[in-house]
Amino acid sequence: MGERISGEADKGGATIRIGTRGSQLALAQAAEVRARLMAAHGLPEEAFAIEIISTSGDRILDRPLSEVGGKGLFTKEIELALLERRIDIAVHSSKDMATAVPEGLSLFAYLPREDVRDVFIGRSVETIADLPRGARVGTASLRRQALLKRLRPDLDIVTFRGNVQSRLRKLEAGEVEATLLALAGLKRLANEAAATQILDAQSFPPAPGQGAICIQGRDGDGAVETLVAPIADAPTGVALGAERAFLAVLDGSCRTPIAAHAVPDGAGGLAFHGMILTPDGASVHETRLSGSAADAEALGREAGRRVLEAAGPGFFAGWAD
């Protein structure tokens, strides 16, 4: 597998080990990180080794994430490999990241964000409005479930786990009438055409971090931090700082339907939209704030405090356990 990178990044042959999940989407994301690092440093592809690490989230497919541990199921084995120095960097979908990063690790960089919107994919209809009453719709996301039930309380929402390809196969086989996926993932898989309706981010806001790839490394690993610095996208970092701060105030996980979208305006400003819902979509609290991009995390925290205050202390009780 080559030697572990140490000291300054070695352009003469040291292997930089990139840890990732094994789905086609995860591999596409790792390949994008590798390509950007190659271009930034003039490194050959042989300077990198993509290490596939199986996660609990990949193995447990028969239950909702909310029942088996939440977001960390897609990251903890990869983070352990990083802590044990079996890999040099970890590549994750930012929306899979728990609010608390394990001690000894940090998020070093975010790549430029892809489209944040969700898409509806119908088997025999093109839009949510076209679905017949009581139609079965498959999703693994409590946020998508709640937003969908908010629009169409008559629908039958069923748990739909698995990677993008397996969900599309289940849809084609008729297990459900429709499903919802992230447009960013379809784009990275060159399968954007599968979408039958692109959902508006204002009325159907994304998960915190949706569309953003993050790179995680070990604290104090200056060589790796220097290596990834040239490919870090500052506007995405600002947006994710606000969204993750909002999530942290709410103690959010896959157990709670939470949406957040921060948009830097390019002139030092930041617009933030946050929302919390009950799983049935019947109760919704949202806030929209604007402020300075330099205060992104404070803006996210304030948005979190506002929706919590509006919702009251019992909002997450019972169903969020």
Side-chain angles (χ1 to χ4, degrees), residues 15-318:
T15 301
I16 301 154
R17 298 164 302 173
I18 302 173
T20 178
R21 296 166 59 197
S23 70
Q24 287 186 35
L25 177 56
L27 291 171
Q29 293 178 164
E32 181 177 344
V33 170
R34 178 180 63 189
R36 289 177 181 272
L37 288 173
M38 288 167 58
H41 298 285
L43 292 166
E45 187 172 311
E46 294 73 26
F48 301 87
I50 292 179
E51 306 287 347
I52 295 174
I53 299 168
S54 176
T55 71
S56 302
D58 297 311
R59 296 190 295 271
I60 303 171
L61 298 175
D62 59 342
R63 285 167 287 169
L65 289 177
S66 56
E67 294 180 3
V68 291
K71 289 175 179 289
L73 291 174
F74 288 118
T75 61
K76 63 180 182 180
E77 286 90 351
I78 301 173
E79 290 174 325
L80 179 62
L82 196 53
L83 287 167
E84 293 179 346
R85 298 183 174 271
R86 290 182 278 125
I87 57 174
D88 300 299
I89 60 174
V91 175
H92 305 286
S93 293
S94 296
K95 70 176 181 178
D96 290 339
M97 300 299 292
T99 52
V101 176
E103 185 176 354
L105 301 181
S106 294
L107 300 181
F108 283 171
Y110 298 97
L111 298 193
R113 197 172 200 173
E114 246 296 356
D115 199 311
V116 303
R117 292 174 293 176
D118 284 312
V119 301
F120 173 84
I121 306 174
R123 190 166 62 89
S124 59
V125 299
E126 292 189 353
T127 71
I128 293 172
D130 292 335
L131 285 168
R133 287 188 61 82
R136 285 167 58 87
V137 180
T139 180
S141 162
L142 275 182
R143 174 190 59 87
R144 290 176 181 142
Q145 168 189 310
L147 289 168
L148 193 55
K149 293 289 276 186
R150 184 187 186 197
L151 296 172
R152 290 285 306 270
D154 61 289
L155 296 175
D156 179 17
I157 312 298
V158 298
T159 300
F160 214 50
R161 294 286 314 283
N163 59 37
V164 171
Q165 290 78 13
S166 65
R167 294 187 209 188
L168 292 177
R169 284 194 296 270
K170 291 177 183 178
L171 174 63
E172 188 176 350
E175 292 187 24
V176 292
E177 180 55 40
T179 190
L180 296 149
L181 293 171
L183 180 55
L186 291 178
K187 283 187 170 184
R188 290 185 176 118
L189 293 170
N191 197 16
E192 186 179 352
T196 60
Q197 180 186 14
I198 297 176
L199 304 177
D200 176 64
Q202 293 298 315
S203 58
F204 208 97
Q210 185 155 308
I213 297 169
C214 67
I215 301 173
Q216 189 178 34
R218 289 182 293 273
D219 291 345
D221 196 338
V224 170
E225 193 166 5
T226 299
L227 182 79
V228 303
I231 68 170
D233 184 69
T236 302
V238 167
L240 270 287
E243 292 173 18
R244 286 180 60 78
F246 178 75
L247 198 63
V249 168
L250 300 171
D251 193 25
S253 72
C254 286
R255 298 179 178 89
T256 52
I258 297 171
H261 186 205
V263 183
D265 64 11
L270 183 71
F272 184 88
H273 178 204
M275 180 186 291
I276 57 175
L277 310 91
T278 50
D280 61 4
S283 182
V284 180
H285 297 279
E286 63 182 320
T287 187
R288 297 176 189 271
L289 297 176
S290 296
S292 169
D295 299 323
E297 292 186 16
L299 192 70
R301 287 192 296 270
E302 175 60 21
R305 286 191 290 267
R306 289 193 184 190
V307 294
L308 276 182
E309 183 179 354
F315 187 79
F316 289 134

